[in-house]
Amino acid sequence: MMKIQSAKVALNLGMEHISSKGKPRPARHLGSSCTSNCKRCHSPQMTEEERLAVFETFWGFGDHEKQWAFIFNCITLCAPKRKFALVGAKGGKLYHREYSFDIAGKRRKVCKTMFTRTLSISDSWINSALSHCTGEGVVIPDRRGQHVKFSNKHS
């Protein structure tokens, strides 16, 4: 039981560990930044020190719910500037996502690539964070492992 608990803690902190099934899992690391001529990242680009500080803050939480709240606070849902689909047409976007980080009290917009590589996460983390947070930033608790086991024994 202690082995499983230590693996969970290491996973939540983004550290290298051995999974409960005995497989080695690498540590999370800061990914490369997007290209220097990226149109979505507003200049000046984030420095590696700023990106590392954001990365360490995010993985320092060590708790999914706090990490989801962090992601939720970094994303703004905005209405698209131009709509190409006809009104009532299927597949029209209702909003798009803008990604940004708070650095020294300023919001710095970044592209999705820079966002995911800085935090070392995938798209499913972003979708999960948005589905677990309400509009006020309140996190709906994770219910994994909270079910009651059902007994199939008949009396």
Side-chain angles (χ1 to χ4, degrees), residues 2-44:
M2 189 67 165
K3 184 171 119 178
I4 294 171
Q5 195 62 26
S6 65
K8 283 183 182 179
V9 170
L11 175 69
N12 290 341
L13 290 171
M15 298 170 22
E16 183 177 347
H17 64 281
I18 304 294
S19 72
S20 59
K21 302 219 187 243
K23 292 184 178 183
R25 300 287 180 203
R28 298 283 181 156
H29 63 279
L30 185 67
S32 60
S33 62
C34 61
T35 60
S36 59
N37 58 354
C38 177
K39 293 178 183 176
R40 295 211 184 252
C41 291
H42 294 270
S43 59

Side-chain angles (χ1 to χ4, degrees), residues 48-154:
E48 290 300 312
E49 293 80 25
E50 291 170 337
R51 292 182 64 226
L52 186 61
V54 170
F55 173 83
E56 289 174 349
T57 300
F58 178 76
W59 287 104
F61 291 134
D63 179 28
H64 276 303
E65 293 173 11
K66 289 178 183 175
Q67 290 167 336
W68 286 333
F70 181 88
I71 292 171
F72 183 80
N73 291 330
C74 291
I75 296 175
T76 308
L77 301 176
C78 302
K81 292 179 183 170
R82 287 175 272 169
K83 287 195 174 195
F84 295 106
L86 297 173
V87 176
K90 216 163 127 180
K93 281 183 145 185
L94 300 176
Y95 61 88
H96 72 274
R97 299 173 182 169
E98 287 184 355
Y99 304 92
S100 60
F101 290 117
D102 280 331
I103 298 172
K106 284 183 158 181
R107 293 282 277 188
R108 291 249 188 104
K109 285 186 181 180
V110 294
C111 65
K112 183 178 181 179
T113 302
M114 178 75 99
F115 187 79
T116 56
R117 288 181 183 175
T118 299
L119 298 180
S120 187
I121 59 173
S122 62
D123 292 343
S124 61
W125 272 77
I126 297 169
N127 295 334
S128 219
L130 293 176
S131 68
H132 279 91
C133 293
T134 63
E136 298 84 36
V138 177
V139 178
I140 299 167
D142 191 12
R143 302 294 298 174
R144 286 184 277 188
Q146 301 296 320
H147 67 281
V148 177
K149 291 186 179 180
F150 179 71
S151 175
N152 247 355
K153 295 179 183 177
H154 292 89

